[in-house]
Amino acid sequence: MSHVTRQISRRSMLRAAGATAGAVGAGIGTTAPPAAAAGASFAHPGLLHTHADLDRMAAGVKAGAEPHTAGFARLAANPHAQSGWRPRPSTVVHRGAGTPQNYAALYKDIHAAYQNALRWHITGERAHADTAVAVLNAWSGTLTQVAGSADRFLAAGLYGYQFANAAELVRDHEDFEAERFRGMLLDVFHPLSESFLAHHNNAVVSNYWTNWDLANMACVLAVGIHCDDRAKVDRAVEYFKHGQGLGSIRNAIPVVHDDGLGEWLEAGRDQGHALLGVGLMGTICEMAWNQGIDLYGHDDSRFLKGAQYVAKWAMGEKVPFTANTRRKGAIGGWSGSETVTEAAPVNPEMTRPIWAMIANHYTRRRGLSASYLTRIAAKSAPEGGGGDYGPDSGGYDQLGFGTLAFTRDTSAEVTGTGSDPRPQTAATASPSPSATASPSPSATASPSPSAAGDDLAATGSDGLLGWTAATGVTALAGGLLLLRRRAR
């Protein structure tokens, strides 16, 4: 199949027809996903950023508006966002214990491609576009396999969705090897992610915590959109709603309490992995939204309730917790279980670049009150990206720069200053809390250990998120996954 005609002008790219994600729909407190995505084809760019989003960022920076300029300053200062970046591709990338790990070069190059592409769209400086394309072309012309222990599935999920997002921003660049890149996504990344969702590395379905499913769902969804593959998109959406693993929304958020908070399963594990999970679920919701699929509002906005819960807990405030037991082990092999009885301790200064996107969706697109999200987004602003949150892989699990990318007009925002986390419609507006916020110090990352000698690891190795706290987990023998559920 021949390449489609590619435009080289940034201005023509930004003005091309695309999904408009920021408009407020009819009715108070609600808005619909972009109508442009409702047809047979997908909108492009249409993963984390649409044409309207890119125009909004560029206009805000050009006008010197806050918090856009503060967000752009973090991007421009990041070493990965420089046009002098040079890629270091490998034929085989290894992640996980027992392998010669070399995956750091991959995630650093992906972030360099993404950051340079984003910087190009904002400034129009062609050198950044050329750098992003050179990085993507180098990897698509070299990489043949992602290998390693169970952590290879994390690598496929995390880096697959990130690769697709970087490529989406330069898909019309005349030097981008678009078909070859799609082949890499379809042949190297997607098969591992699909295998994990279908078979969970031949483990019992609850062996892997929530973020494993979410990373691989994000990959399947992003690859489906970038490659215009409706079946893959449908697969990811269906798994989000009804999948058996712990990443589907009712397993990730098993209890909705009477106060409107949705208990996040991994809050019983540790803070770092819970933040990762919320960030990944938000990423899935945003990518789906830009194609006309409303996962943000699914099941009475269950994700809003879960994100509010994690935001409150991560700021050091008390949250309810329901004891639960999950079954672990290999199918036909070893087995066991563990019970979690309380929410893990937190460090209120720990932050990840995940909150601006979620807070802006619910408060500005939908006009809902989300006081905990509003507060934690302000505290975390201006959000940086890969390389700003520690040197280990956990600091690269989100693409970041949400203050720049997702800050929206205040006209759709509600006051949201009360303590009630339940969604409320309102017609009044308040200024953005992130406009005057100062950045929170990054936590120091340290590697998280994998289960010794266990390829069915319950956690990622080598600093997936290197802030593991005590979790109050008690190991038990045998048992099934028992999650008490209570209706709101």
Side-chain angles (χ1 to χ4, degrees), residues 3 6-8 126 129-130 132-134 136-138 140 170-178 180:
H3 289 295
R6 303 187 182 98
Q7 302 170 10
I8 65 172
R126 175 62 184 251
D130 293 343
V133 168
L136 298 175
N137 285 347
S140 69
V170 297
R171 63 184 296 128
D172 294 320
H173 191 290
E174 79 281 9
D175 293 329
F176 178 46
E177 295 288 347
R180 190 175 75 192

Side-chain angles (χ1 to χ4, degrees), residues 164-245:
N165 270 276
E168 191 76 358
L169 294 178
V170 297
R171 63 184 296 128
D172 294 320
H173 191 290
E174 79 281 9
D175 293 329
F176 178 46
E177 295 288 347
E179 291 181 14
R180 190 175 75 192
F181 192 87
R182 286 194 292 268
M184 180 186 68
L185 291 178
L186 293 169
D187 296 338
V188 177
F189 290 92
H190 174 265
L192 281 172
S193 288
E194 174 55 36
S195 174
F196 185 83
L197 296 179
H199 307 295
H200 289 85
N201 198 26
N202 296 317
V204 295
V205 72
S206 58
N207 183 79
Y208 291 93
W209 285 99
T210 298
N211 67 84
W212 290 74
D213 266 2
L214 290 171
N216 287 288
M217 290 156 58
C219 177
V220 172
L221 179 63
V223 170
I225 293 171
H226 183 72
C227 298
D228 294 300
D229 190 325
R230 177 69 60 180
K232 289 178 176 55
V233 173
D234 291 345
R235 163 66 162 152
V237 170
E238 175 62 20
Y239 197 100
F240 179 95
K241 294 178 178 179
H242 306 297
Q244 293 185 346

Side-chain angles (χ1 to χ4, degrees), residues 2 25 58 60 85 91 107 109 149 151 157 167 196 202 259 318 392 486:
S2 62
W85 187 274
T91 303
Y107 63 69
D109 278 356
S149 66
D151 284 10
F196 185 83
N202 296 317
D259 61 1
K318 187 175 179 59
D392 296 323
R486 184 169 67 206

Side-chain angles (χ1 to χ4, degrees), residues 7-16 51 54-55 57-59 117-126 129:
Q7 302 170 10
I8 65 172
S9 166
R10 170 186 172 272
R11 187 175 300 275
S12 62
M13 286 182 67
L14 295 178
R15 291 180 176 175
H51 279 299
L54 297 166
D55 279 336
M57 292 179 229
L118 193 60
R119 194 169 175 181
W120 169 53
H121 278 283
I122 293 168
T123 67
E125 297 173 15
R126 175 62 184 251

Side-chain angles (χ1 to χ4, degrees), residues 304-326:
L304 168 61
K305 299 165 189 176
Q308 283 269 82
Y309 177 98
V310 174
K312 181 180 181 182
W313 166 68
M315 289 188 291
E317 300 183 31
K318 187 175 179 59
V319 291
F321 192 84
T322 308
N324 63 77
T325 300
R326 71 182 185 98

Side-chain angles (χ1 to χ4, degrees), residues 288-337:
W289 176 271
N290 287 332
Q291 298 300 331
I293 304 165
D294 185 8
L295 299 181
Y296 277 119
H298 177 70
D299 198 8
D300 193 25
S301 296
R302 196 178 190 92
F303 177 49
L304 168 61
K305 299 165 189 176
Q308 283 269 82
Y309 177 98
V310 174
K312 181 180 181 182
W313 166 68
M315 289 188 291
E317 300 183 31
K318 187 175 179 59
V319 291
F321 192 84
T322 308
N324 63 77
T325 300
R326 71 182 185 98
R327 185 183 171 204
K328 304 190 300 179
I331 296 175
W334 69 274
S335 64
S337 66

Side-chain angles (χ1 to χ4, degrees), residues 380-404:
S380 302
E383 291 179 350
D388 291 328
Y389 297 88
D392 296 323
S393 61
Y396 293 82
D397 286 339
Q398 285 86 30
L399 290 169
F401 302 106
T403 306
L404 168 66

